[in-house]
Amino acid sequence: MESVAREGASVIAERAASVRSIGVSWGRTVQNVVAQLDTLSLRPTPEVLPLVGGHSALDQFDSGESVLKVLASRLGATPRTLYAPAVLESATAVATLRAESSIGEVLAAAAQVELALVGIGSRGVHSSTHVLDLMRLDESERATFEAQQPAGDVCGRFIDAHGVPLGAPTDQRVLAVTFSELLRIPEVLGVAAGAEKAPGVLGVLRSGAIDTAVFDVDLAREVLARA
């Protein structure tokens, strides 16, 4: 984790001066990358936006500060905040919140960022488990989800082992940039640590969503072996 965080922060520091906007997702690895980032003096400062809504277990440091706010402070920027949870219990709730101008406008702006920092999840490992639990799927929905053979996730969006994004029910429970929007961001930096994440990481890589990846050696070797 330490080596991934250090190298991820180095990539962000290198790119930050040449982009006008940066988006950030959630997760332990993303937190560690942001924590390793030195304070930069940038002029002009890039706009910093959330790619997903908030959730305290996934997007906050022990101090209570959000990843978004800490990243913005390291870049000398003021973040655009999204006052809504990332994962909800119904598709109706997601649609209702997206229709609110204060939320819809931030997500629309987040879809236009030039650089995105995202964590990569693997089914049943770390934050991916929390994301699924928060959706409160009923028995039928859980069966539908399992039948889709989920492998990994990025920005709360699940994909299968071939990199194909999953549809309902999980895709409709997430308040975040869409998968197609993620694909259009000029550079998406994906970070992940630990060989146990290999199945999900390989699926996300196959989706085409990640342009630059930072992994530890054990994870990279496992991904290559599976590929």
Side-chain angles (χ1 to χ4, degrees):
M1 178 64 77
E2 185 180 343
S3 61
V4 170
R6 190 168 54 246
E7 186 62 31
S10 177
V11 175
I12 292 292
E14 183 181 302
R15 305 284 201 273
S18 59
V19 298
R20 291 171 295 179
S21 53
I22 299 176
V24 63
S25 71
W26 57 18
R28 192 165 58 101
T29 314
V30 169
Q31 280 186 7
N32 279 276
V33 169
V34 171
Q36 285 284 337
L37 186 64
D38 292 328
T39 300
L40 305 174
S41 297
L42 303 175
R43 291 293 181 273
T45 56
E47 187 174 28
V48 179
L49 295 121
L51 299 172
V52 299
H55 183 260
S56 59
L58 298 174
D59 70 350
Q60 285 189 351
F61 290 88
D62 292 339
S63 64
E65 291 276 48
S66 70
V67 173
L68 178 77
K69 190 171 181 180
V70 173
L71 175 61
S73 69
R74 300 289 166 90
L75 300 176
T78 302
R80 292 275 299 273
T81 49
L82 189 57
Y83 293 110
V87 183
L88 293 107
E89 296 178 24
S90 75
T92 303
V94 171
T96 299
L97 287 172
R98 270 193 173 272
E100 292 289 328
S101 59
S102 61
I103 293 171
E105 288 169 5
V106 174
L107 285 174
Q112 302 295 319
V113 297
E114 296 179 2
L115 173 66
L117 169 62
V118 302
I120 302 175
S122 189
R123 172 79 170 93
V125 179
H126 305 315
S127 60
S128 292
T129 303
H130 296 304
V131 171
L132 200 59
D133 289 345
L134 289 167
M135 292 180 180
R136 307 272 195 240
L137 302 180
D138 62 29
E139 191 173 324
S140 173
E141 290 170 329
R142 176 71 74 148
T144 299
F145 172 68
E146 296 295 351
Q148 294 172 320
Q149 297 184 311
D153 62 278
V154 58
C155 291
R157 308 283 180 187
F158 284 91
I159 50 88
D160 67 17
H162 305 289
V164 178
L166 306 189
T170 57
D171 193 53
Q172 299 173 338
R173 304 281 178 94
V174 182
L175 191 67
V177 293
T178 66
F179 208 92
S180 59
E181 288 170 340
L182 196 63
L183 288 171
R184 292 195 292 270
I185 293 173
E187 182 175 15
V188 178
L189 169 62
V191 295
E196 69 277 8
K197 280 194 169 185
V201 166
L202 182 55
V204 172
L205 289 177
R206 285 173 171 159
S207 76
I210 306 300
D211 301 291
T212 305
V214 177
F215 306 141
D216 59 279
V217 173
D218 289 343
L219 172 56
R221 283 180 174 149
E222 184 64 21
V223 168
L224 290 172
R226 289 172 176 267

